[in-house]
Amino acid sequence: MIPFLDLKTINAHYKDALLEACNRVITSGWYIHGKECEAFETAFANYCGVKHCVGVANGLDALILIIRAYKELGIMQDGDEIIVPSNTYIASILAISANQLTPILVEPDINTYLIDPTQIEQHITSRTKAILPVHLYGQTCQMDAINQIAKRYHLKVIEDSAQSHGAFFNNKRSGNLGDASGFSFYPGKNLGALGDGGAITTNDNDLAQTIRALGNYGSHKKYENLYKGTNSRLDEIQAAMLQVKLQFLDQEIAQRRVIANYYREHISNEKIIVPLVEHQDNHVWHLFVIRCTYRDELQSYLTQNGIQTLIHYPIPPHKQAAYKEWNSCSYPISETIHNTVLSLPISAHQTLEETHKIVQVLNVFNPCKKEEQ
Ligand SMILES: *Cc1c(COP(=O)(O)O)cnc(C)c1O
């Protein structure tokens, strides 16, 4: 079986360095908010090209704390609206709801799966305070168009960079393309820890300081609480693991690109639509997502042929039970995407042999089902 993602093999490549880093933390006697977290924050801020990086417990917290900080700074308040793509992972939307703000869903471009900038303006109201573009599957959104709209309407731009570590847009990296950015270091992400982790990047001094306090019980100074904060910290072990993995991120992205380019050049089955890439540097291929009208049949066919695939994501946010107020709303592009997408195996350590086999099997797929619609 070719696995969808083999974390054991991936982390085995860095085992010695990871063990050494782990040992360094164990013997330091200091496990929360110490030198490792600080060193990772500095390294990741430099990597993204920003002034500040604040480590937090996970990617959802990163997004929640950005919005929470804007509320504490008086820039947003309960009932305000944030524009977000209708086809994202639920966390992008939960971060808005968790802050008592209203998510306003905007449809994506069917070819890139990214929020369609031409659909944004019609959804802006007097309560709109931000746009939250999601660099879904690892490709950066059209940030020039999005930032122009934001500037015209005085909106903040909050990037969801949970899938796009290292991706560029016009020579700037994800994390440096808006006012603030949320990252996840969930083990399966392109920069993955060996547990949970997350970070915020920004060039805004006040925002960074506020987020730092909010994630530490609202405290900017020991035993003094400025805000009703929360506990969201990147621990020393994960920060140490991430310092090791960060050194190999660009190399891993390059390896993913080789696989993605092979897929794009050699998948020739006309029943399969390969993803559109705006610019080679803009995509770090967290996921390689194809579309097919016979998606479910294709998935079982691949399983029978020893290829594991996943669906990102089977149910659109507006059809989730958690958001029943939207269940009768229609987002046709998003629905088409959710009904037809399939994620192929891709990772830095997938062999060329495996990639060849996947393409070969895909190219002889011949659905027996009659044409739908
Ligand atoms: C993974 C992910 C998140 C959440 O990250 P966690 O670390 O799992 O909380 C947010 N947004 C997107 C788009 C993601 O893929």
Side-chain angles (χ1 to χ4, degrees):
M1 188 73 161
I2 301 176
F4 177 74
L5 180 68
D6 182 358
L7 288 176
K8 192 171 151 179
T9 301
I10 291 169
N11 287 319
H13 278 82
Y14 313 119
K15 194 171 165 203
D16 291 345
L18 291 172
L19 281 172
E20 195 186 304
C22 199
N23 194 35
R24 194 171 69 224
V25 176
I26 293 169
T27 53
S28 76
W30 195 278
Y31 308 112
I32 295 272
H33 273 176
K35 284 194 202 118
E36 300 291 340
C37 182
E38 207 182 302
F40 173 70
E41 287 176 342
T42 304
F44 197 60
N46 288 340
Y47 179 82
C48 296
V50 293
K51 272 167 54 184
H52 306 281
C53 169
V54 183
V56 294
N58 56 64
L60 175 59
D61 275 4
L63 295 169
I64 289 179
L65 288 171
I66 292 168
I67 300 169
R68 178 80 195 276
Y70 279 130
K71 289 177 78 180
E72 296 292 354
L73 292 167
I75 292 165
M76 294 177 192
Q77 52 183 313
D78 288 8
D80 282 343
E81 296 169 358
I82 296 184
I83 287 171
V84 64
S86 54
N87 63 319
T88 184
Y89 180 58
I90 200 74
S92 328
I93 295 172
L94 287 175
I96 302 169
S97 310
N99 276 293
Q100 286 80 49
L101 270 74
T102 307
I104 302 295
L105 305 184
V106 168
E107 288 260 76
D109 178 324
I110 191 136
N111 298 307
T112 60
Y113 316 120
L114 303 173
I115 191 167
D116 183 349
T118 67
Q119 301 299 306
I120 292 177
E121 237 169 316
Q122 69 197 78
H123 293 279
I124 294 174
T125 72
S126 59
R127 298 228 67 166
T128 310
K129 290 293 156 64
I131 306 171
L132 199 161
V134 181
H135 308 308
L136 199 68
Y137 308 149
Q139 182 168 211
T140 47
C141 298
Q142 285 180 40
M143 295 308 292
D144 45 2
I146 292 168
N147 282 321
Q148 263 169 32
I149 297 167
K151 199 167 169 194
R152 205 171 323 132
Y153 292 91
H154 308 287
L155 309 177
K156 296 292 180 191
V157 174
I158 303 167
E159 293 174 75
D160 184 335
S161 300
Q163 302 189 359
S164 58
H165 320 72
F168 281 96
F169 189 88
N170 287 347
N171 299 316
K172 281 187 183 180
R173 286 206 203 253
S174 180
N176 188 21
L177 303 173
D179 294 287
S181 178
F183 284 90
S184 164
F185 307 123
Y186 181 79
K189 301 290 161 95
N190 283 21
L191 179 57
L194 275 71
D196 270 318
I200 292 117
T201 57
T202 182
N203 289 309
D204 181 333
N205 300 340
D206 291 343
L207 188 75
Q209 218 179 355
T210 309
I211 289 169
R212 209 174 269 293
L214 280 170
N216 189 31
Y217 303 105
S219 172
H220 60 305
K221 212 166 138 190
K222 204 161 190 180
Y223 304 127
E224 281 184 37
N225 303 84
L226 212 49
Y227 315 107
K228 298 185 188 85
T230 184
N231 173 1
S232 186
R233 303 183 289 219
L234 180 64
D235 64 66
E236 292 286 281
I237 288 273
Q238 296 311 332
M241 302 294 101
L242 287 166
Q243 285 174 72
V244 172
K245 303 281 292 277
L246 179 58
Q247 296 170 40
F248 300 98
L249 180 57
D250 280 342
Q251 187 184 314
E252 289 210 347
I253 291 170
Q255 287 164 304
R256 284 173 180 274
R257 277 200 186 116
V258 171
I259 297 166
N261 286 338
Y262 190 88
Y263 279 149
R264 294 200 317 127
E265 282 161 26
H266 294 91
I267 295 174
S268 57
N269 191 328
E270 57 187 22
K271 298 277 191 297
I272 293 167
I273 303 166
V274 295
L276 184 77
V277 190
E278 298 278 344
H279 188 289
Q280 164 98 356
D281 293 344
N282 293 15
H283 211 321
V284 292
W285 301 104
H286 172 56
L287 297 170
F288 192 94
V289 181
I290 57 171
R291 287 206 305 115
C292 179
T293 310
Y294 315 95
R295 190 263 316 274
D296 295 341
E297 198 183 338
L298 176 59
Q299 186 173 36
S300 19
Y301 162 81
L302 290 170
T303 309
Q304 280 158 24
N305 283 280
I307 298 160
Q308 188 193 10
T309 56
L310 293 179
I311 297 168
H312 299 93
Y313 300 90
I315 305 171
H318 71 280
K319 294 290 184 194
Q320 297 286 356
Y323 285 101
K324 44 182 177 309
E325 62 272 35
W326 293 336
N327 284 177
S328 60
C329 296
S330 165
Y331 294 94
I333 299 173
S334 192
E335 283 161 34
T336 303
I337 289 174
H338 285 82
N339 287 330
T340 54
V341 285
L342 190 67
S343 307
L344 301 181
I346 189 165
S347 80
H349 305 288
Q350 180 170 308
T351 66
L352 206 56
E353 223 171 26
E354 290 171 322
T355 311
H356 286 180
K357 180 186 166 187
I358 295 164
V359 170
Q360 254 171 12
V361 171
L362 276 173
N363 282 346
V364 295
F365 170 66
N366 189 12
C368 46
K369 214 159 62 176
K370 274 188 286 169
E371 287 283 337
E372 283 169 334
Q373 81 217 329

